[in-house]
Amino acid sequence: MERRLELTPRLRAVASLVPRGARLADVGTDHAYLPVSLLLEGRIPGAIAADLRPGPLDRARDTARIYGCTDRISFRLCDGLTGIRPGEADAVSIAGMGGETIAAILSAAEWVKEKRLPLILQPMTAQPELRRWLTRNGYAILEEKLAQEGELIYVILSARAGESAPMGSAEEWAGRQFPGMDAPLRGAYLDHLLRKAGRALEGMARSRMGRELPGYHELEQVYEGLLEMKKEWEQWLR
Ligand SMILES: C[S@@+](CC[C@H](N)C(=O)[O-])C[C@H]1O[C@@H](n2cnc3c(N)ncnc32)[C@H](O)[C@@H]1O
């Protein structure tokens, strides 16, 4: 029986935000590497591994069997949190899904907000939309981490029910920053976002409607805001 499951940097960053001792509901668990690794390290006492599809849930069961933790994981075939009862979990992780899917899962489970469960979210896409949804729907983003695998930089958010100051549009893209923030990948992340916004603006400017295209001026503001954030970040590093 394997005793240790080494996570990749992305899932390691997700794991680092899971509160010690929490019963974790891992939604969209697929292979269940996250809950199994946390169980093996003794960081959590038990977990619910949930997935929408039978194939991924079978993979989750296989991993649990290989690592000898089947007795501490409850497997649920369900959409989002629909198969999990309030009171069964102390924290929720949703990793490796689109930001809009994550928001839809949370909006269908108000009890997560009522119980003020810590959330650990790792959106693969639509990060600005997820930040906006969280801060406008009664959640505060408590911390953000970045993780790199090859060329890709992943964002991991921890959030919980609470008041949140409104975010500017560039902050929705990049997350908040503050002096002394422990974020070695922050500069590279801002560069990546600037390239992405710059490419989108160029594409829009080349289109038939050009700068009159809906959304062009909003995106231009995002770009300007990101440039400011990059400048500010570089000053803080000096
Ligand atoms: C790319 S995998 C991510 C696996 C793992 N969480 C990770 O980050 O490595 C996404 C998983 O989410 C599941 N999924 C997608 N939509 C879902 C939903 N609405 N509810 C539950 N699971 C979902 C898919 O079946 C798939 O197994």
Side-chain angles (χ1 to χ4, degrees):
M1 194 191 306
E2 304 286 338
R3 282 273 143 235
R4 210 180 143 70
L5 198 170
E6 202 62 55
L7 296 175
T8 61
R10 175 182 66 87
L11 281 179
R12 218 163 39 232
V14 175
S16 72
L17 292 170
V18 174
R20 188 173 281 277
R23 291 167 303 159
L24 178 70
D26 186 38
V27 176
T29 197
D30 197 350
H31 31 61
Y33 291 154
L34 175 68
V36 168
S37 164
L38 288 165
L39 280 164
L40 292 176
E41 286 179 11
R43 301 245 320 267
I44 59 170
I48 297 172
D51 207 286
L52 183 61
R53 297 182 296 130
L57 208 59
D58 285 344
R59 281 198 284 277
R61 285 197 184 91
D62 287 346
T63 307
R65 195 170 24 76
I66 291 165
Y67 288 90
C69 27
T70 303
D71 55 335
R72 284 168 291 159
I73 301 187
S74 172
F75 300 90
R76 309 281 167 90
L77 184 63
C78 60
D79 185 353
L81 286 146
T82 53
I84 300 168
R85 289 183 300 280
E88 282 192 295
D90 310 308
V92 173
S93 54
I94 315 178
M97 277 185 228
E100 278 151 350
T101 305
I102 295 176
I105 289 173
L106 293 175
S107 64
E110 273 292 300
W111 59 269
V112 168
K113 187 156 66 188
E114 283 152 18
K115 293 203 163 288
R116 303 198 71 242
L117 295 196
L119 306 176
I120 305 96
L121 311 173
Q122 189 269 304
M124 301 297 272
T125 57
Q127 294 86 3
E129 287 78 1
L130 179 60
R131 290 191 186 94
R132 188 175 318 134
W133 186 88
L134 287 168
T135 53
R136 292 183 185 181
N137 286 277
Y139 287 100
I141 297 170
L142 307 176
E143 191 176 347
E144 296 209 12
K145 288 200 168 191
L146 297 170
Q148 186 162 22
E149 291 183 17
E151 295 285 287
L152 292 177
I153 296 181
Y154 297 97
V155 181
I156 303 97
L157 311 174
S158 91
R160 195 184 200 135
E163 290 288 306
S164 179
M167 284 183 132
S169 56
E171 280 183 329
E172 285 176 353
W173 269 57
R176 293 190 209 277
Q177 63 185 29
F178 51 88
M181 184 175 171
D182 177 23
L185 293 169
R186 180 85 189 161
Y189 182 53
L190 289 170
D191 286 340
H192 158 76
L193 293 175
L194 276 163
R195 279 195 301 275
K196 188 172 167 177
R199 274 198 306 269
L201 280 171
E202 277 166 26
M204 287 166 112
R206 275 199 305 271
S207 75
R208 198 166 47 82
M209 288 177 72
R211 292 179 160 77
E212 297 313 310
L213 207 64
Y216 184 89
H217 295 291
E218 287 82 351
L219 189 54
E220 210 172 34
Q221 276 180 6
V222 168
Y223 189 84
E224 295 299 323
L226 289 171
L227 270 181
E228 281 303 308
M229 288 178 105
K230 182 73 204 296
K231 248 191 266 164
E232 185 181 59
W233 183 251
E234 280 169 352
Q235 272 166 11
W236 290 340
L237 290 183
R238 270 189 219 129

